[in-house]
Amino acid sequence: MSDIRQLPVTLDRVTTSRGELVLRETNGHYEVISNGVFLMDTSDGRSERLLVDAAVHRCTTPAPRLLVGGLGVGFSLVRAIEYTHLAAIDVVEIEAAVIGWHTSHLRHLTSRAMADPRVRIVEADILAWMADTGDQYDAICLDTDNGPNWLVFEANAELYGHRGLDLVVRRLRPGGVLAIWSASRDDSFEQRLRGRFGDLVTLETPTDTGAPDVVYVVRAATAARGDQPESLA
């Protein structure tokens, strides 16, 4: 007997200042749709976990502070709490509805992570928040769109541009690690990262639907401006 694929069931639909946001369930998996464009689902999560692994494994401090840009369906946060040596885990999410889904429809996936005393959930735009906060981190993981070359919101392009990278550098401690998720490779963005940080590690996760998911990893300078970053190896 062949598998029967259920039709998607809409669990919630909200209208925000950025348009329509929908949470759907299909065959036990949840997916987020923004203005008719697929954002993410709970069917895999390997590349989101890799995002956190790549950053935390390269931290050189004994009790790192981690910033995650984008809560999504929670894969990155759930992975982060597995690292017991992390001192703090801040997650910045722009959509109040997404945060709310983690206390309702997605609670069975992330309740333990949301309740972890090291976790702070901030409802804010990641660019605006990085510009205003004085907090600094040993690792920053960014997963706020489909990547620099497949944007759901054009305003997010700034995050991957020079101003966005400037803000990230201000939030990273010397020698801190930045990991960025993308749905595909982007040559111009890779050149921008190399020009700003030097050494660049590119990690790929194969997918069933086309190009591999990508995680870019770079390291901030270790001391005063002009010093070279340490190796990412």
Side-chain angles (χ1 to χ4, degrees):
M1 181 181 297
S2 60
D3 293 337
I4 299 175
R5 179 175 174 81
Q6 298 175 351
L7 292 175
V9 176
T10 298
L11 301 176
D12 195 16
R13 184 190 305 270
V14 298
T15 301
T16 76
S17 59
R18 286 161 295 280
E20 184 184 69
L21 197 63
V22 177
L23 178 67
R24 305 193 310 190
E25 181 183 3
T26 307
N27 290 347
H29 294 299
Y30 300 84
E31 58 186 11
V32 179
I33 310 295
S34 176
N35 294 322
V37 179
F38 173 84
L39 271 182
M40 66 201 77
D41 65 14
T42 60
S43 64
D44 193 339
R46 288 175 298 160
S47 59
E48 290 87 349
R49 289 187 283 267
L50 177 62
L51 176 74
V52 173
D53 293 343
V56 175
H57 288 171
R58 289 169 171 81
C59 284
T60 58
T61 54
R65 290 174 49 84
L66 172 66
L67 170 63
V68 179
L71 174 60
V73 294
F75 283 127
S76 297
L77 173 59
V78 170
R79 184 61 136 202
I81 69 162
E82 296 177 10
Y83 290 98
T84 58
H85 69 296
L86 288 176
I89 304 166
D90 288 349
V91 181
V92 177
E93 169 59 50
I94 194 171
E95 297 288 3
V98 171
I99 297 172
W101 290 339
H102 287 272
T103 59
S104 57
H105 303 291
L106 304 177
R107 189 177 187 281
H108 62 291
L109 302 175
T110 58
S111 60
R112 177 170 168 265
M114 297 286 283
D116 191 297
R118 298 169 297 165
V119 171
R120 176 175 63 152
I121 306 295
V122 179
E123 180 191 335
D125 174 86
I126 185 65
L127 274 172
W129 189 82
M130 288 193 298
D132 291 341
T133 187
D135 294 343
Q136 287 194 303
Y137 299 88
D138 303 287
I140 296 178
C141 297
L142 297 180
D143 181 8
T144 60
D145 210 305
N146 283 327
N149 59 356
W150 184 15
L151 295 170
V152 177
F153 300 104
E154 286 301 321
N156 287 341
E158 192 173 14
L159 180 63
Y160 303 101
H162 295 294
R163 178 175 179 264
L165 295 179
D166 286 345
L167 289 173
V168 168
V169 169
R170 285 166 53 185
R171 301 282 65 84
L172 279 172
R173 288 174 173 168
V177 180
L178 167 64
I180 302 173
W181 187 94
S182 178
S184 61
R185 294 191 62 160
D186 185 299
D187 291 341
S188 61
F189 183 59
E190 292 177 20
Q191 293 174 9
R192 197 175 308 132
L193 289 174
R194 287 193 179 93
R196 183 60 188 264
F197 296 94
D199 192 17
L200 169 66
V201 170
T202 303
L203 306 171
E204 295 187 347
T205 302
T207 68
D208 296 330
T209 56
D213 292 340
V214 178
V215 172
Y216 294 119
V217 190
V218 292
R219 188 185 298 279
T222 55
R225 183 181 296 272
D227 287 1
Q228 293 296 314
E230 296 176 355
S231 171
L232 286 161

